[in-house]
Amino acid sequence: MDKMWSGRFSAKSAKLLDQFNASVMFDRKLYNEDIEGSIAHATMLQKQGILTKDELQSIKDGLSQIKKEIEEGSFEWKIEDEDLHMAIEKRLTSLIGDAGKKLHTARSRNDQVATDFRRYVLKSNKEIVKLLKDLMQTVLDVAKNHTETIMPGMTHLQHAQPVNFAYHLCAYLSMFKRDVNRFEDSYKRNNISPLGCAALAGTPHNIDREYTAELLGFDSVSINCLDTVSDRDFALEILFNISTLMMHISRLSEELILWSSYEFKFIELSDEYSTGSSIMPQKKNPDVPELLRGKTGRVYGALVSLLTVMKGLPLAYNKDTQEDKEGVFDAVETALISLKILKEAIKTMKVNEQNMFSASKVGHLSATDLADYLVEKCGIPFREAHFITGKAVAKAEELGIDLSDIDYKYLKEIDERIKEDVIAYLDIKNSMNARDSQGGTSVKRTKEQLEYFENYIKNMEV
Ligand code: ARG
């Protein structure tokens, strides 16, 4: 009978129960948070006169020995111990005797796991923001070299109006900035200590929750113990934040995949970050962005899974919540490696400026400029200008050329009011620079955006 809770039981638990019930094979990942949490708790118990100085010292020594064993790989994790909390406490008692048995005074595994897991999520939040910052810096560095690199801006994946590549990348910087905001926001909201909530209702012992919160680096102490031991909003938030981040990453990945196809050839991913085919010797495949796009799915899965676990749970702790960890661990690891590899893929890719420009010369990207010319210079109502421009596009199609290359004589034939100065309006580069309104694609406006992101990244707190 070696279970910690075996007092009221007369039969040994079934092997199958142990297998089904255990979390130790995955929650051992939280060993550091658990040991630090125990040291903070014991330190507080001693300050409050609940443990003696000697007892505290032997608890600290025992825990540091256990940490060493875990890190060296000699610690024996057994599913009969159920979870990491009991595995560590049991080993502590075997190392130091009675003082180990006192550690759990005024504490429950319910506030213990809530504390450990919350601290893991907060730590992961910071790691993700740090890597997001690196990614943003890399995207910014690439963008800075391409304010004059013209490419077709699209809607419906059809050529629409010319933009520059830096401007296109600034759209992704905007998404990543919102991601950073979301992570920072969640960090602030969830930086609250559950320790001392005990099982659900607090404890009769004279504890000091403010003190353990401070020792563990929390901003404050939670308000209501019943809520705190069953709250997993912090885990749901990081899953949602990662899901949104991965959604953004999947959109950029999709563009990298398209752009590296023969049909586009806007970019070439480096050999280091591409793969080959086992049968087709000529192939160079964009596996990195494809996998990034694919991995987005498993992160959404983790979010929906935990939302479903939490749905309809009565207060307070329920064993269902043990299912909170694996999805979060997986999503965090997915986010970390995704951010690292996307950064490298972008840093090492080659941008084919000429192909981007050539693509801008098909699809009559400056058609809107002709319509704007007719409105601005000839005083023609926009609807009519739209119609006249349609005629000009049809003429260019008939001639087999792009509207930006049409000879003035054809335009004059379509409408007398069109003067020769129209030619400058049809030029693709002028067309891009004409979109000079705030947030627009002109080189001047793009540089403002780059400067904004440069400052933003510089002032980030990680
Ligand atoms: N392994 C458990 C979990 O991860 C720890 C908390 C168990 N608490 C309990 N009252 N059985 O949720």
Side-chain angles (χ1 to χ4, degrees):
M1 196 60 70
D2 54 2
K3 288 271 193 302
M4 288 196 168
W5 38 254
S6 62
R8 60 104 68 219
F9 288 78
S10 48
K12 216 170 140 52
S13 60
K15 194 87 205 126
L16 187 60
L17 177 278
D18 284 347
Q19 268 174 26
F20 184 66
N21 199 34
S23 57
V24 69
M25 300 331 283
F26 54 85
D27 66 13
R28 52 196 265 195
K29 198 180 180 66
L30 300 173
Y31 79 89
N32 207 26
E33 283 80 10
D34 198 69
I35 289 173
E36 286 175 359
S38 288
I39 291 173
H41 182 66
T43 305
M44 180 278 293
L45 291 178
Q46 189 276 316
K47 180 177 84 75
Q48 299 300 98
I50 300 168
L51 290 178
T52 66
K53 280 204 164 120
D54 287 348
E55 286 166 337
L56 172 62
Q57 195 52 52
S58 62
I59 286 172
K60 280 184 176 169
D61 293 344
L63 288 171
S64 91
Q65 162 75 16
I66 290 170
K67 184 172 148 103
K68 211 168 120 226
E69 290 172 5
I70 294 172
E71 286 170 356
E72 285 169 2
S74 63
F75 190 90
E76 229 192 305
W77 297 103
K78 291 189 284 207
I79 59 162
E80 304 83 73
D81 290 337
E82 198 176 315
D83 57 28
L84 98 148
H85 319 293
M86 292 198 287
I88 290 177
E89 196 188 314
K90 196 168 137 199
R91 176 73 184 134
L92 182 67
T93 302
S94 86
L95 283 171
I96 67 168
D98 282 351
K101 294 185 188 164
K102 292 192 180 175
L103 174 61
H104 214 50
T105 313
R107 186 175 77 166
S108 153
R109 279 184 296 154
N110 298 352
D111 61 334
Q112 195 176 352
V113 74
T115 305
D116 294 356
F117 193 36
R118 191 177 280 260
R119 289 183 69 228
Y120 167 84
V121 166
L122 291 171
K123 179 187 78 181
S124 304
N125 179 313
K126 287 267 189 238
E127 284 168 12
I128 291 170
V129 173
K130 170 90 192 50
L131 291 180
L132 245 170
K133 179 182 181 178
D134 294 346
L135 173 64
M136 287 178 81
Q137 185 64 54
T138 298
V139 173
L140 180 77
D141 292 342
V142 172
K144 277 184 185 162
N145 293 324
H146 292 288
T147 53
E148 310 265 352
T149 303
I150 295 173
M151 66 187 286
M154 302 202 187
T155 62
H156 313 266
L157 206 59
Q158 302 287 326
H159 289 203
Q161 291 173 350
V163 297
N164 68 73
F165 187 44
Y167 179 68
H168 195 107
L169 292 176
C170 281
Y172 285 102
L173 288 171
S174 306
M175 297 179 215
F176 294 143
K177 186 203 145 196
R178 287 197 296 277
D179 289 323
V180 169
N181 287 164
R182 261 186 290 274
F183 281 102
E184 288 177 344
D185 216 44
S186 294
Y187 192 96
K188 279 185 220 129
R189 182 171 29 260
N190 294 303
N191 194 5
I192 291 170
S193 176
L195 197 57
C197 279
L200 71 161
T203 170
H205 296 284
N206 175 29
I207 61 169
D208 183 348
R209 292 189 61 201
E210 303 282 348
Y211 185 56
T212 46
E214 195 191 312
L215 291 175
L216 292 173
F218 286 111
D219 272 351
S220 62
V221 165
S222 72
I223 303 292
N224 174 284
C225 296
L226 194 61
D227 167 55
T228 309
V229 289
S230 73
D231 169 28
R232 294 296 181 269
D233 292 3
F234 62 95
L236 287 166
E237 281 191 37
I238 202 166
L239 288 174
F240 176 75
N241 296 345
I242 294 173
S243 294
T244 308
L245 166 63
M246 289 302 293
M247 179 269 288
H248 293 149
I249 287 178
S250 78
R251 295 184 69 181
L252 177 52
S253 297
E254 169 65 11
E255 301 214 284
L256 296 177
I257 294 162
L258 282 173
W259 292 342
S260 47
S261 69
Y262 272 102
E263 284 67 25
F264 281 82
K265 268 192 164 293
F266 285 3
I267 60 158
E268 191 184 333
L269 294 170
S270 68
D271 283 1
E272 273 176 288
Y273 290 98
S274 300
T275 53
S277 155
S278 60
I279 174 169
M280 297 166 280
Q282 83 285 10
K283 293 283 304 275
K284 184 168 166 184
N285 293 330
D287 284 22
V288 168
E290 286 175 88
L291 264 177
L292 289 169
R293 198 174 52 180
K295 282 179 186 293
T296 305
R298 65 198 282 164
V299 172
Y300 292 1
L303 172 62
V304 174
S305 161
L306 185 56
L307 278 170
T308 313
V309 165
M310 296 309 293
K311 178 180 178 297
L313 278 189
L315 289 170
Y317 178 85
N318 298 273
K319 190 74 170 208
D320 312 44
T321 17
Q322 182 167 284
E323 290 292 314
D324 59 1
K325 289 171 209 58
E326 288 160 290
V328 170
F329 292 158
D330 186 74
V332 165
E333 273 150 36
T334 301
L336 295 176
I337 194 162
S338 297
L339 287 165
K340 279 186 207 158
I341 201 156
L342 177 58
K343 182 188 88 174
E344 293 305 323
I346 289 176
K347 196 189 267 179
T348 57
M349 77 186 180
K350 192 172 151 284
V351 179
N352 296 324
E353 301 166 16
Q354 191 50 51
N355 289 347
M356 285 187 174
F357 184 68
S358 304
S360 313
K361 294 286 284 183
V362 289
H364 317 292
L365 290 180
S366 48
T368 319
D369 299 81
L370 176 55
D372 289 339
Y373 172 89
L374 294 168
V375 170
E376 215 181 286
K377 291 276 175 166
C378 314
I380 298 173
F382 183 78
R383 211 27 79 205
E384 195 188 334
H386 189 290
F387 184 78
I388 298 166
T389 305
K391 294 266 172 228
V393 168
K395 187 71 199 172
E397 289 273 310
E398 185 194 316
L399 296 166
I401 57 168
D402 187 68
L403 184 64
S404 59
D405 293 326
I406 201 167
D407 198 284
Y408 171 59
K409 71 175 185 215
Y410 297 111
L411 296 173
K412 208 172 89 179
E413 274 168 26
I414 290 166
D415 197 300
E416 282 272 283
R417 290 169 289 185
I418 303 176
K419 299 288 172 266
E420 204 158 359
D421 61 350
V422 73
I423 293 305
Y425 285 73
L426 298 181
D427 175 76
I428 293 294
K429 186 168 179 176
N430 290 347
S431 165
M432 185 264 286
N433 276 319
R435 285 173 177 72
D436 194 35
S437 57
Q438 195 172 6
T441 190
S442 70
V443 171
K444 190 183 115 210
R445 292 299 191 176
T446 301
K447 284 185 174 161
E448 284 175 8
Q449 293 164 45
L450 292 173
E451 200 184 307
Y452 173 85
F453 287 115
E454 176 122 63
N455 280 324
Y456 181 79
I457 296 167
K458 211 179 291 163
N459 294 321
M460 274 176 69
E461 273 166 18
V462 284

